[in-house]
Amino acid sequence: MNDDASLVAATLAGDRSAFGQLVDRYQDRLVNSVTRLVGEREEACDVVQDAFVQAYTKLNTFRGEAAFFTWLYRIAFNLAMTLLRRRRRHASLDRSRDELGHEPMDTGPGPELGAAADEYVALVHAALANLDPDQRQVIVLRELEGCTYEQIAEIADIPVGTVRSRLYRARLTLRDRLAPVLGEELARKEN
């Protein structure tokens, strides 16, 4: 009983441990993805827990047209998007830099390289956190989770064309926000 379909069937037949195996299989990946979306691990854990509870209670509605994982992701990302819309906290990149307390430094070869790389990563995460939630959702799914456009469309319940346009706008916004910090050359490489 290794595949998702067998575990779903066993759960529907009353085997709670089968659903536990699905939780074990997908919990860490979902927490990491949702953390990238909402920005805080504790909130992401709450969202994922709610997603598993919702998936368990609505498992009888799972028709198997999509993979279980895609269905579960859709539940988790919808809950995360609801949280983000409620929060409506859109901080600017400047505010994020102020909160970090430092600017990235120009580094040459040497021991400072690792610290500068960490600063760049923090700034990229801050810029990502400041995207519109719909844009953040598609960029996280595409660039960080490696989902195809079709998978993103299924998870977000939007047409593939909308996925493409949101992804395009998200990349442009990130490029514009990161260009002054990371340099024009890095921003041009994205195109």
Side-chain angles (χ1 to χ4, degrees):
M1 187 175 2
N2 289 350
D3 69 335
D4 291 351
S6 298
L7 292 171
V8 167
T11 302
L12 289 172
D15 182 359
R16 287 183 170 175
S17 67
F19 193 77
Q21 290 178 44
L22 289 167
V23 171
D24 289 343
R25 183 174 291 173
Y26 296 120
Q27 185 172 20
D28 290 342
R29 187 170 178 193
L30 276 176
V31 167
N32 289 334
S33 296
V34 174
T35 299
R36 291 180 186 127
L37 191 62
V38 301
E40 296 179 23
R41 188 166 181 81
E42 187 173 308
E43 283 185 330
C45 289
D46 291 343
V47 166
V48 169
Q49 182 178 4
D50 290 346
F52 278 116
V53 168
Q54 206 172 96
Y56 185 78
T57 59
K58 295 182 179 183
L59 195 58
N60 63 335
T61 67
F62 174 65
R63 295 181 303 243
E65 295 169 358
F68 174 78
F69 179 68
T70 302
W71 183 73
L72 178 62
Y73 245 64
R74 185 172 178 187
I75 293 170
F77 272 89
N78 285 340
L79 289 170
M81 296 304 287
T82 299
L83 173 70
L84 289 173
R85 286 186 184 108
R86 264 188 279 139
R87 202 189 304 159
R88 292 278 188 216
R89 192 179 79 191
H90 295 283
S92 70
L93 181 57
D94 291 334
R95 179 175 164 197
S96 296
R97 273 195 309 239
D98 291 342
E99 289 173 2
L100 288 173
H102 55 273
E103 292 281 336
M105 300 168 60
D106 186 18
T107 60
E112 301 86 21
L113 189 59
D118 290 343
E119 291 173 359
Y120 290 145
V121 168
L123 289 170
V124 169
H125 283 285
L128 183 64
N130 289 316
L131 285 176
D132 173 86
D134 292 330
Q135 291 178 4
R136 188 177 330 144
Q137 180 185 31
V138 296
I139 202 124
V140 165
L141 288 169
R142 177 69 181 161
E143 303 300 339
L144 301 176
E145 289 301 317
C147 293
T148 65
Y149 288 1
E150 291 76 16
Q151 289 171 323
I152 297 168
E154 194 171 338
I155 290 168
D157 196 25
I158 56 176
V160 172
T162 304
V163 170
R164 292 180 193 279
S165 65
R166 285 183 186 174
L167 196 53
Y168 177 77
R169 285 192 311 268
R171 287 175 175 154
L172 283 179
T173 302
L174 285 174
R175 184 195 68 196
D176 292 345
R177 288 182 180 167
L178 294 173
V181 178
L182 300 178
E184 291 293 333
E185 186 174 325
L186 181 62
R188 279 190 219 117
K189 286 181 184 178
E190 243 183 32
N191 290 333

